Amino acid sequence: MKASRLSAAGLTAALLGALVAAIPANANATPASATSVSAIPGAAGAAGACVTDPATPKRQFRAMWIASVTNIDWPSKGSQTAPDRIAAQQAEYRELLDLAERLHHNAVVVQVRPTADAFWPSPHEPWSEYLTGVRGADPGWDPLAFLVDEAHRRNLEFHAWFNPYRVSMPAPGGAGADLDQLAPGHPARENPDWTFAYPPADVAGSRLYYDPGVPEVREFVQTAMLDAVRRYDIDAVHFDDYFYPYPSGTHQVPDDATFAAYHRGFTDRDDWRRDNINLLVQEMGVRIKAVKPWVKFGVSPFGIWRNASVDPLGSDTTGSQSYDIIFADTRKWIKEEWIDYVVPQLYWYIGQYPAADYARLVPWWAEQVRDTRVQLYIGQADYKSGDPAYGSYWMNPRELSDHLTLHRSHPEVLGNVHFSAVQVRANRLGATDIYAAEHYSRPALVPTMPHLPAKWLLPPVVTAAERHAEGVRLRWRQLADGVGPLGTATSYAIHRVDGIRVLPGCALADAAHLVGTVRATSGANQSWVDTTATAGSRYTYFVTALDRLGNESVAGPPRFVH
């Protein structure tokens, strides 16, 4: 069957109408698509007039952490022998991305600097042992280039996950507290006064950390991480919860000499330590934007800032407090807007758990981001699901899905990150299947960040929609892409409506009609195959263009298929 075609005059009129709607008098202004649907002339209908389904949000951040430290997720091992090692590691990563695609994720968070090392040829730090099994050994390829490219092929954002201060993991698997066990030429070996062992070297579990109180350390770790920002097309820089080490027994962090030398006028050491971490976060955010203004900066902290019993601004909890034990003042980072997003690790269940009830913490975090430009995603404990060691609540296959349902009462929650990839794949109790079916049944676009730079996008012009054995193949052109004040299309969203419809109306207000997204290829001509199209059904297709931050154009002229 052939697709119905608009007449040349109709196509021209529809395109001109879209262009008029799409381009304001000042084309360099922030795109309306970076705000609410109701602000977009001729788009999916005024938000207030459209009834949307909370189960199919148009925008929701969905990702999983892919941890490399001790080969948790990827690569599964570093000791495979060349040349098979490279092919095997690449195949493993592609399988994880296939999983992300099946679950309708739109990002991956991949650990590329787990222990003051690198998954790329860094001029500052040695190759990571988790690639080859040998500290400092050249793997014979550029993993980071591959990781980013493969994610983008699937139209997944790539969030590069860095650990700022951790230098080693405990012996016997890691270097422990022994500087001489680090890779030859390691900056920590060259500058032993930059490091400390914690807990003490003669205590089990001891490892090395860069000292956050040494100014040269703060400068160095930022420079080392920014090398990846400059050289690779990453979409975000991501920190986890490791800053100062978590307490081990009664052992104290050995920074007496550092405090004496670099106190900066502080008399309270805890305040000084917090300021050290504040400086890292503030400076890193500024430096990222100076290099690439579009690269996001996010942090995934421990899930409790402070308890209300200690600080009236805190949460109704009684657990450990990141503000006090690892000196991470995450609430300040939000209020000062030093970061673009925050992913608190809320690794607890919904229920009578006074130390940290999930249902109490979600509203607290939602309140912290309210009236700021910082986006809130929640870290989910997929690793606990179906494991009896974590208690009976985690033997409920619906626990994680119930978490996501609770979010619907808190519109500040804009997504989730799941820890970690192998646990998502394990699908114990069928928990992954349940939350994916109830909350990730359709694709979703990433939330926009209106404070980041963007330009207006022209709508795509669909030039063909033809049935083939594999489905309906759409072809379109992106005109004047990146020309003058216009933005560059990084990807496209394809919406399909049953029957014939000239205008999208409310069809684009949520993801109910979003059948796929696809990365832009070089050149103006683009194509995609709708493999879910049913033979004999009548459809209307609308295609929109998206820039690298998810800002969306208005829909181009429709294309009909009988």
Side-chain angles (χ1 to χ4, degrees), residues 102-134:
R102 288 197 301 273
L103 295 175
H104 290 147
H105 287 192
N106 46 36
V108 286
V109 184
V110 185
Q111 192 173 33
V112 298
R113 185 182 180 268
T115 50
D117 49 11
F119 271 55
W120 72 97
S122 169
H124 307 288
E125 294 181 306
W127 283 105
S128 176
E129 65 184 283
Y130 303 118
L131 289 164
T132 64
V134 179

Side-chain angles (χ1 to χ4, degrees), residues 174-493:
D178 188 351
L179 284 164
D180 292 335
Q181 292 299 311
L182 299 175
H186 194 294
R189 293 181 68 169
E190 302 295 321
N191 301 275
D193 55 328
W194 285 7
T195 69
F196 59 70
Y198 186 85
D202 58 350
V203 175
S206 181
R207 67 190 78 184
L208 292 166
Y209 294 87
Y210 280 129
D211 188 338
V214 176
E216 292 84 359
V217 164
R218 194 171 70 248
E219 165 67 24
F220 171 76
V221 299
Q222 291 178 40
T223 298
M225 294 183 286
L226 285 164
D227 181 63
V229 177
R230 287 190 176 91
R231 295 169 55 196
Y232 297 88
D233 190 26
I234 67 174
D235 298 291
V237 168
H238 183 95
F239 288 175
D240 60 20
D241 55 313
Y242 286 94
F243 296 100
Y244 276 91
Y246 281 90
S248 176
T250 59
H251 300 293
Q252 301 299 308
V253 173
D255 59 359
D256 288 352
T258 308
F259 183 52
Y262 305 111
H263 56 76
R264 297 190 304 280
F266 281 92
T267 56
D268 183 288
R269 191 178 309 199
D270 288 358
D271 288 342
W272 169 76
R273 287 174 177 165
R274 272 185 289 274
D275 193 59
N276 292 333
I277 306 303
N278 288 344
L279 288 171
L280 169 75
V281 173
Q282 182 183 23
E283 292 170 1
M284 189 68 185
V286 170
R287 293 182 70 180
I288 290 168
K289 296 299 190 286
V291 174
K292 291 181 178 177
W294 58 89
V295 171
K296 306 169 188 177
F297 181 31
V299 179
S300 179
F302 182 72
I304 299 174
W305 172 71
R306 299 197 92 186
N307 299 315
S309 59
V310 174
D311 188 322
L313 296 175
S315 53
D316 184 13
T317 49
T318 61
S320 298
Q321 307 169 109
S322 63
Y323 179 94
D324 299 284
I325 65 170
I326 56 173
F327 310 102
D329 191 356
T330 49
R331 184 178 183 276
K332 183 179 182 65
W333 308 342
I334 292 169
K335 298 303 184 182
E336 297 290 341
E337 299 181 332
W338 292 341
I339 55 179
D340 297 306
Y341 69 83
V342 63
V343 193
Q345 298 171 19
L346 302 191
Y347 294 167
W348 301 288
Y349 55 80
I350 297 172
Q352 299 303 312
Y353 184 50
D357 185 341
Y358 188 91
R360 296 179 183 180
L361 279 162
V362 167
W364 185 87
W365 283 99
E367 182 182 354
Q368 305 319 303
V369 302
R370 192 174 299 135
D371 299 324
T372 76
R373 67 189 190 193
V374 177
Q375 294 187 353
L376 173 62
Y377 319 139
I378 304 296
Q380 299 294 338
D382 288 52
Y383 72 96
K384 289 186 175 180
S385 182
D387 188 337
Y390 294 108
S392 61
Y393 281 89
W394 289 105
M395 298 306 292
N396 174 9
R398 295 196 52 80
E399 179 66 29
L400 288 171
S401 188
D402 289 346
H403 289 191
L404 275 59
T405 299
L406 185 148
H407 296 174
R408 296 178 186 175
S409 300
H410 303 281
E412 295 84 1
V413 180
L414 298 179
N416 301 278
V417 186
H418 298 266
F419 190 85
S420 63
V422 296
Q423 307 297 336
V424 173
R425 182 174 61 193
N427 191 27
R428 286 186 297 274
L429 305 179
T432 302
D433 289 341
I434 292 171
Y435 71 68
E438 296 183 354
H439 300 279
Y440 299 165
S441 65
R442 309 295 297 177
L445 310 181
V446 297
T448 58
M449 291 190 174
H451 64 282
L452 299 183
K455 295 180 178 181
W456 286 81
L457 289 168
L458 291 184
V461 178
V462 182
T463 57
E466 299 173 336
R467 289 194 181 276
H468 295 272
E470 67 273 23
V472 174
R473 177 172 291 279
L474 299 176
R475 301 182 188 278
W476 64 88
R477 289 179 59 82
Q478 185 65 24
L479 304 177
D481 196 30
V483 175
L486 298 174
T488 299
T490 301
S491 63
Y492 299 92

Side-chain angles (χ1 to χ4, degrees), residues 58-126:
K58 180 167 184 172
R59 295 187 181 274
Q60 185 179 59
F61 189 81
R62 302 171 184 169
M64 57 188 179
W65 280 289
I66 300 177
S68 60
V69 66
T70 67
N71 299 111
I72 290 173
D73 291 308
W74 183 87
S76 64
K77 57 183 178 179
S79 58
Q80 295 160 321
T81 56
D84 294 339
R85 182 193 69 243
I86 297 173
Q89 290 179 349
Q90 291 181 345
E92 285 180 349
Y93 181 67
R94 289 190 180 104
E95 289 173 1
L96 293 178
L97 297 188
D98 291 344
L99 172 64
E101 277 193 297
R102 288 197 301 273
L103 295 175
H104 290 147
H105 287 192
N106 46 36
V108 286
V109 184
V110 185
Q111 192 173 33
V112 298
R113 185 182 180 268
T115 50
D117 49 11
F119 271 55
W120 72 97
S122 169
H124 307 288
E125 294 181 306

Side-chain angles (χ1 to χ4, degrees), residues 38-61:
S38 60
I40 310 174
C50 294
V51 177
T52 59
D53 185 348
T56 57
K58 180 167 184 172
R59 295 187 181 274
Q60 185 179 59
F61 189 81

